Amino acid sequence: MVVERYPKAVVFDLDYTLWPCWCDTHISMPLRSVSKQEIEDSTGMRLQFYKDVESIIRELVENNVKIIGASRTAAPRIAQEMLSLLHILDTPAIKFFDSLQWGTGSKVKHISKAARQLGMVEELSKGEFVLFDDELRNRDVASINCHFAHVRDEDEGLTRGIFVNELKSWNRSLRSSE
Ligand SMILES: [Mg+2]
């Protein structure tokens, strides 16, 4: 275990958090699988998850953390297909998500809905959710007591360094509010 305690749920944005593109503007359908870790769109553009994503999702699963996807994309069908074609541990990545929330509007709405769906409203109110996201405007999730973890660099996306540092900072803030 790399951190002393994990949150009960981790929410991931998709575009520029898990993969380096906007699926509603950069991807031309149809998609095809190149390998379990790589896909190609109809223009020949190839795409993978950022390199630390697989090990981070594996770690969360091993520690019984619920995994939620929350995307404001205008193309949920494309995102769903990408999550189905890209694999983690030889399994389509989409199978690791306990809840997927889509659509425009604030992530406050996405995360509240996922919490209701998973029976985790109380855990959310107690600060047991962390959102990893590249867009600072989504910091407003702090209003529902979800920790906002900023993914700063679109070349690197979600890295192990960001993951560990943000979980540490979440642990500290939770302790100081007790
Ligand atoms: Mg994003």
Side-chain angles (χ1 to χ4, degrees), residues 112 115-126 129:
S112 303
R116 283 198 301 278
Q117 217 174 59
L118 299 171
M120 296 180 78
V121 173
E122 199 183 334
E123 285 89 343
L124 174 59
S125 70
K126 285 183 174 163
F129 280 50

Side-chain angles (χ1 to χ4, degrees), residues 143-178:
S143 68
I144 49 168
N145 215 13
C146 174
H147 178 86
F148 179 78
H150 190 210
V151 175
R152 279 172 190 80
D153 184 338
E154 67 174 42
D155 292 326
E156 296 193 333
L158 175 67
T159 61
R160 178 148 289 280
I162 293 173
F163 177 70
V164 171
N165 284 336
E166 290 290 347
L167 289 194
K168 283 182 181 163
S169 122
W170 166 79
N171 263 299
R172 278 194 303 273
S173 65
L174 208 65
R175 272 202 309 269
S176 66
S177 68
E178 276 167 8

Side-chain angles (χ1 to χ4, degrees), residues 13-17 133-135:
D13 165 56
L14 301 177
D15 297 347
Y16 291 106
T17 295
D133 200 306
D134 66 303
E135 287 191 62

Side-chain angles (χ1 to χ4, degrees), residues 75-102:
R77 202 176 54 81
I78 296 178
Q80 269 169 318
E81 186 161 344
M82 287 166 70
L83 287 175
S84 305
L85 291 173
L86 292 169
H87 285 60
I88 289 171
L89 285 172
D90 280 344
T91 300
I94 198 162
K95 300 227 161 116
F96 292 93
F97 287 82
D98 297 286
S99 173
L100 281 164
Q101 300 296 331
W102 311 101

